[in-house]
Amino acid sequence: MIRFVIRRIFQLIPVILGISMLTFWMMSFVPGDPVALMLGQHISPQTMESVRQELGLDLPFLTRYLNYLWNVLHGDFGRSYIQHQEVSQMLLDKIPVTFCLAVVASAIAITFGVLIGVLSAVRQYSFLDTFTTFFTLIGLSLPTFWLGMVLQLVFGVIFRILPISGSGGEGFHLQYYILPGFALGFASMAMYAGLTRSSMLEVLGEDYIRTAHAKGLSKQVVVFKHGMKNALIPVSTHAGMDFASLMGGTILIETIFSLPGIGYMLFNAISRRDYPVVQGVTLFLALVFVVINLLVDISYAFLNPRIRYD
């Protein structure tokens, strides 16, 4: 296990380097001059050139990338061209909002998805089972931004039950995260429902389940105590990767609901050619994804005793 963890950590290094270089390279070819956006179009060419030299934008690509990588290794993600703040501090300010949104979305997706999947498997070929198959197809097909706007219209404008924008200020205010969390987690909910259904059907056909029925145990005990425990192994291992995907997929939802998280910050940074912010957010999300991927691989060996890493 220790050798596996060390090997995976070393495998993550080229992945992070590749993502950082690709992001840096792409931002270098984005149309538009960040200096012109910072200073305006009516600034003298001499002033613009001076600022460009100050920011290091006149240096060759490889030199600029190596300087950026050296600074990142020392905890310096650069300084925003537009807001003139440290990118690391901006990330620290925005991460809690995105994290809360991902947690709410994940909780909604897992709770309702697993419940629907279990009931569908227990009542195979029933109307509920047919509905689950249809729900899975629709849930994976609906555009997230469209669902978000529909939820805003129905629950925020027509019925005025829940707020449709903002985060409620400092602290965690659940009512501001319900609609965006549901919109963000809807596709994951459909995925969990289908995954739980197929896993539960496989478990219910095992010999030990038939033995439990033969012993006279009630159906509820057999399903929820014996069957569900093993059926949720693939669900639990997938939950980590899904959470990382939710963290990285908040751009549209945070923009639609005006949630001041890293997704909204990334959207504004892209539109303003704020390269340091785009690179910082992208690198942070890549780190989140690969670290959670590593933790999921390690946890799978403990959740499933049949799996052992050499």
Side-chain angles (χ1 to χ4, degrees):
M1 175 64 75
I2 296 177
R3 286 183 298 176
F4 167 77
V5 173
I6 295 175
R7 186 169 65 250
R8 285 303 309 272
I9 291 175
F10 278 104
Q11 289 175 352
L12 297 181
I13 296 176
V15 174
I16 297 299
L17 289 176
I19 293 174
S20 65
M21 178 174 284
L22 181 61
T23 305
F24 201 92
W25 178 78
M26 292 177 63
M27 294 307 300
S28 300
F29 291 94
V30 171
D33 187 352
V35 177
L37 291 173
M38 290 171 57
L39 305 178
Q41 299 292 337
H42 304 290
I43 303 299
S44 65
Q46 293 80 6
T47 302
M48 295 182 66
E49 185 61 27
S50 175
V51 173
R52 189 174 284 106
Q53 292 177 0
E54 181 182 349
L55 296 175
L57 296 176
D58 61 324
L59 299 174
F61 168 79
L62 185 59
T63 302
R64 286 187 288 116
Y65 173 72
L66 291 177
N67 290 336
Y68 171 74
L69 194 60
W70 176 258
N71 292 331
V72 168
L73 292 176
H74 290 78
D76 182 9
F77 287 85
R79 190 176 182 88
S80 170
Y81 292 162
I82 307 300
Q83 301 188 38
H84 306 291
Q85 298 179 15
E86 295 294 331
V87 175
S88 56
Q89 185 59 49
M90 295 174 65
L91 283 170
L92 291 175
D93 294 338
K94 305 298 183 183
I95 286 173
V97 175
T98 300
F99 179 79
C100 290
L101 175 59
V103 168
V104 172
S106 184
I108 292 174
I110 294 175
T111 301
F112 291 100
V114 169
L115 180 62
I116 294 173
V118 170
L119 294 177
S120 174
V122 173
R123 302 181 181 180
Q124 190 180 13
Y125 305 125
S126 65
F127 171 79
L128 179 61
D129 190 26
T130 304
F131 169 78
T132 301
T133 304
F134 177 76
F135 170 75
T136 302
L137 178 63
I138 295 297
L140 296 175
S141 304
L142 280 180
T144 302
F145 68 91
W146 179 85
L147 180 60
M149 291 187 290
V150 170
L151 292 174
Q152 283 180 320
L153 177 64
V154 175
F155 295 98
V157 178
I158 298 177
F159 294 108
R160 299 179 181 272
I161 299 175
L162 294 168
I164 61 174
S165 64
S167 61
E170 295 184 2
F172 176 67
H173 304 275
L174 179 60
Q175 64 271 26
Y176 286 88
Y177 290 89
I178 293 177
L179 292 183
F182 188 88
L184 180 63
F186 189 76
S188 295
M189 186 194 310
M191 180 272 300
Y192 281 122
L195 181 62
T196 304
R197 177 187 178 276
S198 60
S199 179
M200 196 69 183
L201 286 174
E202 181 180 351
V203 168
L204 292 177
E206 296 288 343
D207 292 337
Y208 71 91
I209 294 295
R210 287 190 288 267
T211 302
H213 281 295
K215 289 182 178 179
L217 297 179
S218 64
K219 187 176 182 179
Q220 291 78 7
V221 172
V222 173
V223 171
F224 292 101
K225 184 178 180 180
H226 297 278
M228 194 178 211
K229 180 180 179 181
N230 293 320
L232 291 184
I233 289 178
V235 175
S236 59
T237 54
H238 187 84
M241 295 305 301
D242 185 62
F243 181 79
S245 299
L246 292 175
M247 283 281 293
T250 61
I251 298 176
L252 288 176
I253 292 299
E254 288 185 357
T255 303
I256 292 172
F257 287 89
S258 299
L259 283 171
I262 58 176
Y264 192 35
M265 181 174 69
L266 178 60
F267 174 81
N268 289 329
I270 293 174
S271 60
R272 297 178 181 181
R273 311 295 193 276
D274 200 346
Y275 298 163
V277 176
V278 176
Q279 293 160 3
V281 173
T282 304
L283 189 58
F284 169 75
L285 293 176
L287 284 171
V288 169
F289 194 86
V290 297
V291 169
I292 291 180
N293 186 21
L294 175 62
L295 295 176
V296 168
D297 287 344
I298 295 173
S299 65
Y300 192 65
F302 294 97
L303 291 172
N304 191 348
R306 293 172 294 182
I307 300 296
R308 285 294 180 266
Y309 295 113
D310 296 326

